[in-house]
Amino acid sequence: MSEPRYKLHWVTVLVETLKALKEAILPLAVVLFTGSRNNTSGNWFLDNWSLVFGGVLVIYLLSSGLIKWRRFSYWFEDGELRIESGLFVRKKRYIPFERIQSLNYTEGIFHRPFGLVKVQIETAASSGGEAEAELTAVTREDADIIKKRIAEGKKRKSQEAESEFEEGMEHAEEELSSEEPEAKRVFSLSPKELILLATTSGGIGVIFSGVAIFLTQFGELLPLDKVSDELAGLIKFGVFVVVLLILLGLFIAWLLSVAMTFFSYYGFTVRVSDEEMIITRGLLEKKRTTVPLSRIQSVSFIENPLRQLFGYGRLLVHSAGASGEGSTIQLFPLVKKKSLYAPLHEIFPGLDLREPEEKLPKRGRKFYYRIDFLWMIPIIAVVGWYFYPYGLFSLLLVPAVMGLGMWQHRSAAYRIVGNQVTIRSRGISLQTSYTMRKRIQSANIRQTIFQSRKEVASIHLNVKSGMGTHDVTLRQMDLKEAERLLAWYEPSHEVSGNGHEEGFVDLEK
């Protein structure tokens, strides 16, 4: 029996065209600005070559969206999702149902008025933040059909491998698999938490990075000489006016970062079923990300100094083979530490969230800041010499770096309970990592000749994160304790008591 072929919605033309124009905005701007300067040769084509070239490029970009819509189709056959696309070069992609890990939905501003979604199909081979396949615009009904067919295909594959099931039981289970598994809501951002998240986010750095990229691309085309003359004129009015303008610019950038975060995390909700977590968020563009529980490798709770003052932090999970949202996923972008246990216990019932109590030895404290003197001393010497006497203020770097190192040493701790290791460390933010023994890909101890004299060492635990690894590190640990942790990791090592394994599922499964 032949399967029907499904087509994308016509909104695909608009979405793909705007996407192509967005990606080509820089070369288009460069061509138009550069060509507009040379228009005195007397030859119409030479004087207007930039307009001709830009027009041809725009026509090509407009036609690319139309071509994708007309020539893109997908269908289900032999336990696979099959996709065919392309005009001159026809591309066919076959994705077996059992290889599909998750389906992520996105509702953009062009999708929502028509009840459409963008579907991203992820497999273990997805990398670089790119999904294995993408359906630009399909109806919600078609998206549900895709999910239903994939679930049925996986169930049928499992049933074929288990011959002991009776035929009647197989039909009953097949009907049950077609239903959407009930997902329980375990976490959502309150309006107060959303505002706090937006006001304490680091989005202002993204804005400044975007401005810097723009200036590097179009610095030669902008009238920077006139701007510098105007700035020189402003300086004549006094330093107060200049400082006021700088503060105003920073305030506007901060407001933009608050707005970006607010729109991005509006309606943030986490739901969990027996096999997966579903994360939804967004105001203008609503995103739905599915994270299989079997792919979760490690959990980390991050507290930056500002949020730590109010008792807040963010919870990250590291996923194997993830894309789209990335291998590091913000499970709870902002959560009160006292309220962390209840929602996290719903997802990982066996996770031990007690604070680590094993501290580091004092003899390893100086290693947290001694190495920094290698770069501090030359900088202090140069600044102090050329900017004397004000350059001597650079000497304040010494107590600042020493204080940071002692703070890092004091914050570090660990705990081993059953089959779980909890490691707490600090750069500037405090990070507490919860990792199961079977999730660790490799473990090693590193020790320099200076550390060997003090009998301390650094231990590194590597867990799967995307297509790479996430390094959980504890520096300047007592050597005997580091060796004990390494022996605990050995596959032949048996752990007695409650290993708390039910919260994580083996990667091989």
Side-chain angles (χ1 to χ4, degrees):
M1 180 177 180
S2 61
E3 291 278 358
R5 293 200 174 201
Y6 296 89
K7 304 290 291 185
L8 300 179
H9 194 272
W10 64 263
V11 170
T12 300
V13 180
L14 181 60
V15 174
E16 289 296 330
T17 300
L18 291 177
K19 179 181 177 181
L21 288 173
K22 178 183 176 182
E23 294 175 350
I25 190 67
L26 288 180
L28 271 175
V30 171
V31 168
L32 293 177
F33 276 108
T34 305
S36 63
R37 295 183 174 185
N38 302 319
N39 54 3
T40 59
S41 65
N43 186 302
W44 183 89
F45 181 80
L46 292 178
D47 292 341
N48 299 277
W49 70 269
S50 60
L51 293 176
V52 175
F53 181 79
V56 172
L57 183 58
V58 169
I59 293 174
Y60 169 75
L61 295 175
L62 292 174
S63 63
S64 64
L66 180 62
I67 291 172
K68 178 171 183 178
W69 172 56
R70 296 289 297 176
R71 305 296 295 175
F72 191 101
S73 62
Y74 65 96
W75 70 99
F76 309 98
E77 186 176 336
D78 295 336
E80 297 175 330
L81 172 63
R82 300 189 174 186
I83 298 174
E84 186 174 350
S85 61
L87 179 60
F88 299 108
V89 179
R90 298 293 288 169
K91 297 180 181 179
K92 293 184 179 181
R93 180 175 295 178
Y94 297 168
I95 307 175
F97 290 154
E98 63 270 17
R99 300 296 183 186
I100 297 176
Q101 295 182 2
S102 62
L103 299 177
N104 297 331
Y105 299 162
T106 301
E107 300 176 35
I109 57 176
F110 298 108
H111 294 85
R112 301 180 78 170
F114 302 95
L116 307 174
V117 294
K118 177 176 72 174
V119 181
Q120 292 179 308
I121 297 99
E122 295 186 358
T123 68
S126 303
S127 61
E130 295 292 334
E132 182 71 20
E134 180 179 288
L135 309 180
T136 305
V138 298
T139 63
R140 294 177 184 272
E141 292 76 12
D142 287 346
D144 291 338
I145 289 174
I146 296 171
K147 187 171 185 177
K148 177 181 177 181
R149 292 298 300 270
I150 292 173
E152 289 178 348
K154 289 182 177 181
K155 193 69 176 181
R156 190 179 298 109
K157 190 78 173 179
S158 176
Q159 290 173 347
E160 290 175 356
E162 299 175 358
S163 57
E164 65 272 12
F165 280 111
E166 297 180 359
E167 184 177 355
M169 181 64 70
E170 290 180 358
H171 288 302
E173 291 183 353
E174 186 173 340
E175 292 178 0
L176 180 62
S177 67
S178 64
E179 300 178 358
E180 180 80 10
E182 183 179 356
K184 179 182 179 182
R185 187 175 71 173
V186 297
F187 177 81
S188 61
L189 276 178
S190 66
K192 176 184 174 182
E193 291 172 336
L194 178 61
I195 294 174
L196 182 60
L197 172 66
T199 53
T200 59
S201 68
I204 190 172
V206 177
I207 294 175
F208 285 140
S209 299
V211 173
I213 293 173
F214 178 82
L215 291 177
T216 56
Q217 295 290 334
F218 299 101
E220 297 181 357
L221 304 176
L222 297 176
L224 297 180
D225 294 337
K226 294 182 179 180
V227 175
S228 61
D229 293 339
E230 294 293 334
L231 289 176
L234 284 174
I235 293 176
K236 294 179 181 179
F237 287 99
V239 177
F240 176 76
V241 176
V242 176
V243 172
L244 187 62
L245 290 174
I246 293 175
L247 292 177
L248 180 61
L250 291 173
F251 180 71
I252 293 174
W254 176 76
L255 287 179
L256 290 174
S257 70
V258 169
M260 290 169 52
T261 306
F262 183 87
F263 289 142
S264 179
Y265 287 93
Y266 181 86
F268 189 97
T269 305
V270 178
R271 290 180 171 83
V272 62
S273 64
D274 293 337
E275 298 181 352
E276 61 188 16
M277 294 183 297
I278 301 172
I279 302 173
T280 57
R281 64 182 177 92
L283 180 60
L284 299 179
E285 184 180 57
K286 189 174 181 180
K287 295 184 177 181
R288 170 176 165 166
T289 303
T290 304
V291 185
L293 291 174
S294 60
R295 312 303 294 180
I296 303 299
Q297 305 297 299
S298 180
V299 178
S300 299
F301 186 62
I302 313 294
E303 305 168 77
N304 69 35
L306 178 60
R307 292 175 178 172
Q308 191 177 3
L309 289 175
F310 301 96
Y312 283 91
R314 60 191 177 107
L315 190 78
L316 308 179
V317 293
H318 297 274
S319 176
S323 67
E325 285 287 323
S327 57
T328 303
I329 301 167
Q330 292 202 67
L331 186 58
F332 306 154
L334 186 71
V335 60
K336 205 167 185 60
K337 190 173 184 178
K338 294 181 179 179
S339 306
L340 178 65
Y341 177 79
L344 196 57
H345 182 73
E346 292 283 347
I347 305 173
F348 308 114
L351 202 62
D352 188 339
L353 294 177
R354 288 180 293 176
E355 289 289 329
E357 297 177 349
E358 299 292 334
K359 294 288 188 176
L360 302 183
K362 292 183 178 180
R363 60 180 181 274
R365 182 168 55 190
K366 64 181 179 180
F367 292 103
Y368 274 86
Y369 54 80
R370 189 171 69 175
I371 192 67
D372 293 322
F373 290 127
L374 295 178
W375 62 264
M376 276 197 308
I377 293 176
I379 292 177
I380 292 174
V382 171
V383 173
W385 176 265
Y386 284 99
F387 298 95
Y388 181 85
Y390 299 106
L392 295 179
F393 283 106
S394 61
L395 291 171
L396 295 176
L397 283 173
V398 175
V401 170
M402 291 183 63
L404 176 62
M406 290 187 287
W407 190 28
Q408 292 172 336
H409 177 268
R410 183 178 179 181
S411 301
Y414 64 96
R415 174 194 288 270
I416 302 174
V417 178
N419 287 317
Q420 176 186 321
V421 59
T422 303
I423 291 181
R424 187 177 67 199
S425 60
R426 181 185 291 277
I428 298 297
S429 298
L430 187 67
Q431 174 171 319
T432 307
S433 298
Y434 309 92
T435 309
M436 294 296 175
R437 184 166 63 96
K438 288 187 176 182
R439 299 275 67 83
I440 301 174
Q441 301 292 314
S442 63
N444 61 83
I445 294 177
R446 298 179 184 176
Q447 186 183 53
T448 66
I449 57 174
F450 303 104
Q451 289 176 315
S452 63
R453 296 175 183 176
K454 297 293 183 178
E455 296 185 347
V456 295
S458 299
I459 190 161
H460 298 262
L461 307 177
N462 298 310
V463 298
K464 191 75 173 175
S465 181
M467 304 304 293
T469 58
H470 167 61
D471 185 15
V472 180
T473 303
L474 187 62
R475 298 188 295 153
Q476 320 313 330
M477 192 177 181
D478 180 83
L479 180 59
K480 292 182 180 179
E481 289 297 307
E483 291 175 345
R484 183 172 74 90
L485 180 54
L486 191 63
W488 165 87
Y489 164 69
E490 292 178 1
S492 59
H493 183 79
E494 295 293 336
V495 179
S496 60
N498 182 12
H500 303 287
E501 286 287 355
E502 60 230 63
F504 293 78
V505 184
D506 286 347
L507 179 62
E508 291 76 8
K509 294 182 181 180

